[in-house]
Each structure stands twice: as structure tokens, then as C-alpha cells.
Amino acid sequence: MKYFEQNIMNGVDMHDLHDNLHKAAGVVESNIVFMLTHDADETRSADVDMCQSAYNTIAILEAIIAKYPEDVVEKALANVRSDMQKIEERCDELKAIFGILFGGC
């Protein structure tokens, strides 16, 4: 699962990927704060900036993943999917419990 078929970040060493990730994630964090503290403008340029900064971060993360063998990548992705499924199931269980406790079901 990739967003970028040709990623200019591929081949960059881990040290530089680390530095670039901190910078890119910082931009995403700043954009989130901006969006939470300002009203949306009519052009939605802040929305575009937010998505663009997120994609920049994804490109770096994909380059990090690309450094590992395919079997490792597939196992890691399977683990994450399994973890997310467990979280989703727990959320459904909690919603049901809260519904019963507070009369929602």
C-alpha cells in the first residue's frame, strides 16, 4: 500500500529521514493547531496546506518502510491491521456497555 510510486525520499539515509520526519511532522502539528484556532477561509487553502503537509510526512514514512524487506513490511502491516481491528472491537464493546449503563440501548 503506497501513495507514491516514485518517492524522492527513497534512498535517503536513516539519519536524514529522521531529521526530515521531525520537520515534516512538525508542520503537520502546526497546521492542526492553526486549523483548531482559526476559522476556515473561503478558498480552503489551509485545508490544502494540511493535506499537503500530511502527504509530505507520508512520503518520508514510506521511504523508511521501503528500507526493509517485503516480508518484514507485510508482517508489520498485518500486525497494525490486527491491532486496529482489536481497538475497533473494543470501541464497539465500550459503546454497547455505555449504552446499557446509561440507557442508550
Side-chain angles (χ1 to χ4, degrees):
M1 182 166 141
K2 294 170 93 175
Y3 284 90
F4 303 99
E5 289 305 316
Q6 294 191 359
N7 186 344
I8 62 169
M9 299 306 292
N10 285 345
V12 173
D13 70 44
M14 264 312 195
H15 178 68
D16 289 338
L17 287 171
H18 173 264
D19 292 345
N20 288 325
L21 180 58
H22 274 287
K23 292 174 191 171
V27 173
V28 172
E29 292 169 343
S30 293
N31 285 339
I32 290 171
V33 171
F34 180 85
M35 294 187 85
L36 291 173
T37 58
H38 292 80
D39 293 330
D41 65 358
E42 291 179 12
T43 65
R44 300 190 62 120
S45 62
D47 294 352
V48 173
D49 290 344
M50 171 55 109
C51 292
Q52 183 175 339
S53 62
Y55 278 121
N56 287 333
T57 304
I58 290 169
I60 296 165
L61 295 172
E62 283 188 354
I64 293 169
I65 292 167
K67 292 197 167 292
Y68 295 92
E70 194 63 32
D71 63 321
V72 171
V73 171
E74 289 174 7
K75 175 68 174 162
L77 182 56
N79 289 347
V80 170
R81 286 180 173 157
S82 175
D83 291 346
M84 288 189 164
Q85 180 64 37
K86 290 174 189 172
I87 291 168
E88 185 176 17
E89 290 168 1
R90 293 265 163 78
C91 286
D92 291 343
E93 291 170 5
L94 287 174
K95 286 178 188 174
I97 291 170
F98 287 136
I100 291 168
L101 289 174
F102 299 111
C105 286

